[in-house]
């Protein structure tokens, strides 16, 4: 295999959306940084006259390559095109064209000729990358004394777009190659959370080195703490968060010096908090929680109304480490029903929630993934956490994250709401108890059988949304508070002699791991149950006993359990791009 080629991830996305989106044949040009095996641009040859088996590039494409080379620092690298299913290799006709291209482009050291095929049924080889429901197989043609040598090329995907997304950045278009004093860099404008409009310059050795970040208003480049110890896609997110924390500390310092003038008493309190935040956090929870929470880590998937509230409550309770996963930004409409403030609008929810955590407890650690659950390494994240909180409202996401957590032996808590928060539920799953899927499946089946089917039908279950309807924040909080109490308890060991541990581990021991709540009078079965009880209104709760199926792939007999990491699910991101024709 020839030396590897680096390919920016947004180029693969573009190829997926144009060449991978349709059956053969389609094609386009690859451009990249001059003198380097680094592909940073794709030009789709949309007007090519193609057949089911043949793609011939147009004169328009040749002109477009020339125009791009004149306007930017990018240079021609080769042509990508698709093939029929099961033919992931260049044809003899292709090879004739490679020879011709090498002849016409004397400056080209290697002609890149990836082939896209529309199947991923067979395992990917070292020179192949998945493109949603398609695959791309990389080949390169190099000159040789008697013509040229064609060989598979290993692609190295450079995570530019994914890194920006995880940092909550909104880039304006894809990065383009520009020349800065003789060095070619990839440049893009983007909105970065808390930093505003910036220009990002990525060198050829990115992600090994940090991008240069130039604020569009303000001083020169920002110095990013570039942590090579974390995965490349997370580095910008971590660097931006650290930068913002530093700024917040500076602000705090200024505020503290104002307080020195105002009175020595305030300053002492501030100093105490700064020196030992846990001491104050635990002053009122002795016997309920243990200070060991400072060493515990929680993974929160979903940072909407439920997740943001949970992050805040757990931070105020002294939990020391958080990993927060959410792809969305805070919107103005969220402020009325979450822990977010107007100042957070536009920030990634994962960032904004992490900031709440750090504002409450500056000695806490907060990791941020501005990404969907499909786009993070769930196996790693659940393993690093002591407890998983699944605060997303998507039942499929709940089941998937629940599978990873169960597999890793980490207790998980699932708060959910339905019917405009008139009702809600909290499900606890841990080794020995029913998994999320078994718990919900069983209870929902019971609802149908016991004639409460009408209620079941009116819930949002099955629509993919649990909290789609407007609901009162206090009702959301009621369910989230119970989930938080369960999570706090599960962050303790069963032997810890404090109230929170007895609460959560008692539920697991009793097997009553499915709690339902009513927030309105006469909600669901509570009217029936409470008929003879005077002064019953709301809020009511029931803790139901649920059991797992022995054939369940998540919680069933250990021999039959499946590994969620092994299921090869298609890249949802790319499929979405294909569908939207982006
Ligand atoms: Zn071909
Ligand atoms: Zn199960």
């Amino acid at each position: 295999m020839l030396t590897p080629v680096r390919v920016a991830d947004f180029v693969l996305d573009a190829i997926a959306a144009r060449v991978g989106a349709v059956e053969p044949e389609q094609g386009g040009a690859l451009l990249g940084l001059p003198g380097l095996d680094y592909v940073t641009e794709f030009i789709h040859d949309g007007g090519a006259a193609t057949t089911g088996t043949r793609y011939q590039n147009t004169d328009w494409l040749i002109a477009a390559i020339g125009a791009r080379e004149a306007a930017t620092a990018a240079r021609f690298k080769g042509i990508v095109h698709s093939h029929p299913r099961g033919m992931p290799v260049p044809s003899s006709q292709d090879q004739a064209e490679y020879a011709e291209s090498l002849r016409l482009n004397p400056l080209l050291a290697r002609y890149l000729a990836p082939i896209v095929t529309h199947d991923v049924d067979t395992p990917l080889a070292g020179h192949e990358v998945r493109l949603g429901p398609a695959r791309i197989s990389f080949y390169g043609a190099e000159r040789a004394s008697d013509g040229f040598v064609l060989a598979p090329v290993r692609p190295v995907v450079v995570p530019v777009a994914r890194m920006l997304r995880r940092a909550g950045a909104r880039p304006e278009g894809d990065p383009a190659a520009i020349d800065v004093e003789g060095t070619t860099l990839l440049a893009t404008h983007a909105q970065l959370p808390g930093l505003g409009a910036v220009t990002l310059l990525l060198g050829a050795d990115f992600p090994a080195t940090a991008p240069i970040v130039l604020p569009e208003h303000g001083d020169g480049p920002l110095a990013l703490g570039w942590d090579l110890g974390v995965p490349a896609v997370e580095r910008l997110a971590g660097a931006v968060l650290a930068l913002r924390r530093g700024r917040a500390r500076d602000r705090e310092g200024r505020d503290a010096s104002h307080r020195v003038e105002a009175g020595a008493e305030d300053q002492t309190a501030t100093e105490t908090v700064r020196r030992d935040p846990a001491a104050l956090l635990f002053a009122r929870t002795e016997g309920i929680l243990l200070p060991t929470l400072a060493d515990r880590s929680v993974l929160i998937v979903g940072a909407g109304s439920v997740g943001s509230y949970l992050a805040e409550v757990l931070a105020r309770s002294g939990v020391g480490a958080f990993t927060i996963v959410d792809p969305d930004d805070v919107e103005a409409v969220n402020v009325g029903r979450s822990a977010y403030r107007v100042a957070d609008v536009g920030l990634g929810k994962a960032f904004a929630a992490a900031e709440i955590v750090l504002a409450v407890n500056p000695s806490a650690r907060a990791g941020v993934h501005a990404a969907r659950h499909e786009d993070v390494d769930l196996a790693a994240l659940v393993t690093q956490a002591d407890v998983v909180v699944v605060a997303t409202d998507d039942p499929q996401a709940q089941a998937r994250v629940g599978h990873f957590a169960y597999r890793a032996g980490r207790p998980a808590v699932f708060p959910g709401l339905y019917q405009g928060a008139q009702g809600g539920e909290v499900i606890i799953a841990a080794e020995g108890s029913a998994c999320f899927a078994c718990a919900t499946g069983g209870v929902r089946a019971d609802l149908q059988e016991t004639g409460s089917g009408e209620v079941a039908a009116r819930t949002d279950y099955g629509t993919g949304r649990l909290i789609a309807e407007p609901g009162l924040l206090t009702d959301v909080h009621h369910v989230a508070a119970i989930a938080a109490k369960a999570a706090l308890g599960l962050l303790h060991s069963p032997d810890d002699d404090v109230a929170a541990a007895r609460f959560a581990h008692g539920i697991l021991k009793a097997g009553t791991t499915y709690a339902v709540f009513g927030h309105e009078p006469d909600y669901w079965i509570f009217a029936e149950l409470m008929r003879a009880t005077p002064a019953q209104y709301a809020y009511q709760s029931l803790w139901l006993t649920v059991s797992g199926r022995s054939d369940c792939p998540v919680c069933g007999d250990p021999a039959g359990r499946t590994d969620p990491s092994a299921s090869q699910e298609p890249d949802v991101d790319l499929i979405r791009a294909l569908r939207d024709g982006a």
Side-chain angles (χ1 to χ4, degrees):
M1 209 178 283
L2 302 178
T3 52
V5 56
R6 275 175 292 161
V7 186
D9 58 357
F10 57 85
V11 175
L12 290 179
D13 291 346
I15 295 171
R18 295 299 183 195
V19 181
V22 291
E23 289 296 309
E25 281 225 355
Q26 286 281 312
L30 302 174
L31 288 83
L33 302 191
L36 297 169
D37 280 317
Y38 189 0
V39 177
T40 59
E41 209 164 317
F42 167 69
I43 304 174
H44 180 226
D45 196 4
T50 59
T51 71
T53 55
R54 185 163 162 69
Y55 159 78
Q56 176 66 53
N57 65 261
T58 57
D59 291 344
W60 174 87
L61 185 70
I62 306 299
I65 295 166
R68 248 352 244 177
E69 287 194 329
T72 71
R75 292 293 171 265
F76 178 68
K77 299 290 173 192
I79 298 279
V80 55
H81 71 281
S82 54
H83 269 191
R85 193 171 269 271
M87 286 180 57
V89 290
S91 65
S92 54
Q93 188 144 26
D94 290 336
Q95 297 190 38
E97 278 164 27
Y98 303 164
E100 178 69 0
S101 294
L102 284 168
R103 192 183 65 76
L104 290 173
N105 296 280
L107 291 177
L108 202 61
R110 177 159 82 171
Y111 178 86
L112 288 171
I115 304 290
V116 174
T117 45
H118 295 78
D119 65 87
V120 286
D121 303 337
T122 49
L124 296 175
H127 67 295
E128 296 179 314
V129 177
R130 183 188 292 272
L131 280 187
R135 75 167 68 203
I136 181 166
S137 311
F138 281 84
Y139 289 88
E142 279 178 20
R143 290 184 182 76
S145 51
D146 54 345
F148 71 93
V149 180
L150 179 70
V153 176
R154 186 169 68 85
V156 176
V157 180
V158 183
V160 176
R162 280 158 186 74
M163 176 203 69
L164 289 170
R165 201 159 57 225
R166 290 198 186 186
R170 276 168 296 174
E172 295 166 17
D174 290 335
I178 62 161
D179 191 78
V180 181
E181 293 169 5
T183 304
T184 310
L185 300 167
L186 272 184
T188 186
H189 300 288
Q191 296 284 333
L192 266 182
L195 302 177
V198 299
T199 300
L200 283 154
L201 299 172
L202 298 101
D205 49 2
F206 170 85
T209 56
I212 298 167
V213 178
L214 298 164
E216 288 174 14
H217 308 284
D219 315 325
L222 297 170
L224 295 179
W226 204 240
D227 187 351
L228 297 179
V230 302
V233 287
E234 314 295 350
R235 282 176 206 158
L236 185 67
V240 169
L241 195 65
L243 203 62
R244 299 186 62 202
R245 282 183 73 178
R247 289 185 171 187
R249 286 231 179 84
D250 290 347
R251 248 194 337 263
E252 257 177 53
R254 279 199 300 280
D255 292 349
S257 58
H258 285 304
R259 279 198 291 272
V260 176
E261 291 155 27
E265 217 172 285
D266 285 348
Q267 194 212 357
T268 311
T270 309
E271 284 307 311
T272 308
V273 175
R274 199 163 287 155
R275 235 182 8 253
D276 187 7
L280 289 187
L281 290 170
F282 287 103
R284 297 285 157 82
T285 55
E286 221 183 314
I288 306 168
L289 303 173
L290 287 174
T292 49
L293 284 180
D295 303 322
R296 299 286 187 269
S297 173
V298 63
L299 168 65
I300 299 178
V301 180
S305 51
V306 171
S308 64
Y309 172 81
L310 273 152
E312 178 172 347
V313 170
L314 298 180
R316 288 189 192 281
S317 304
V319 175
F322 293 77
T323 302
I324 303 168
V325 179
D326 195 301
D328 295 332
D329 290 343
V330 178
E331 292 174 45
V333 293
N334 298 136
V335 174
R337 228 184 61 175
S338 67
Y340 301 120
R341 302 147 299 181
V342 171
D344 297 323
V345 171
L347 298 182
K349 283 180 177 171
F351 274 89
E355 290 215 320
I356 291 169
V357 165
L358 299 175
V360 169
N361 181 359
S363 63
R365 284 172 292 126
V368 166
H369 298 265
R372 289 186 297 270
H373 66 95
E374 307 96 315
D375 295 334
V376 296
D377 185 351
L378 271 181
L381 293 186
V382 299
T383 308
Q384 288 153 18
D386 296 301
V387 164
V388 178
V389 174
V390 191
T392 163
D393 51 11
D394 173 353
Q396 279 179 322
Q398 290 171 317
R400 182 166 178 269
V401 179
H403 193 173
F404 274 95
Y406 207 101
R407 178 83 179 173
R410 298 298 186 271
V413 179
F414 305 78
L417 290 117
Y418 26 78
Q419 279 186 277
Q422 283 181 55
E425 64 184 18
V426 171
I427 294 154
I428 299 173
E431 180 60 46
S433 79
C435 70
F436 172 83
C438 282
T440 55
V443 167
R444 287 165 201 168
D446 287 349
L447 287 180
Q448 302 284 356
E449 278 169 22
T450 54
S452 311
E454 195 218 342
V455 171
R458 281 192 288 121
T459 66
D460 293 330
Y461 280 126
T463 63
R465 304 290 295 180
L466 290 180
I467 322 179
E469 299 176 50
L472 200 57
L473 183 59
T474 55
D475 294 337
V476 175
H477 276 186
H478 179 230
V479 169
I482 289 149
K485 185 165 175 177
L488 285 170
L490 294 170
L491 286 164
H492 291 79
S493 90
D495 307 325
D496 288 339
D497 189 23
V498 286
R502 287 193 293 271
F503 172 75
H505 290 287
I507 291 164
L508 281 179
K509 207 172 159 196
T512 50
T513 53
Y514 192 129
V516 288
F517 307 96
H519 300 147
E520 297 288 331
D522 305 329
Y523 178 75
W524 187 40
I525 55 173
F526 294 108
E528 194 79 23
L529 284 171
M530 303 290 189
R531 185 161 291 157
T533 313
Q536 280 296 332
Y537 202 71
Y539 300 174
Q540 299 106 340
S541 70
L542 259 183
W543 292 77
L544 305 171
T545 307
V546 286
S547 48
R549 303 187 328 261
S550 61
D551 64 342
C552 173
V554 179
C555 67
D557 295 335
R561 293 182 187 176
T562 60
D563 180 355
S565 304
S567 66
Q568 292 266 316
E569 285 166 279
D571 186 334
V572 174
D573 204 19
L574 287 174
I575 290 170
R576 207 163 282 157
L578 303 180
R579 196 189 53 211
D580 299 341

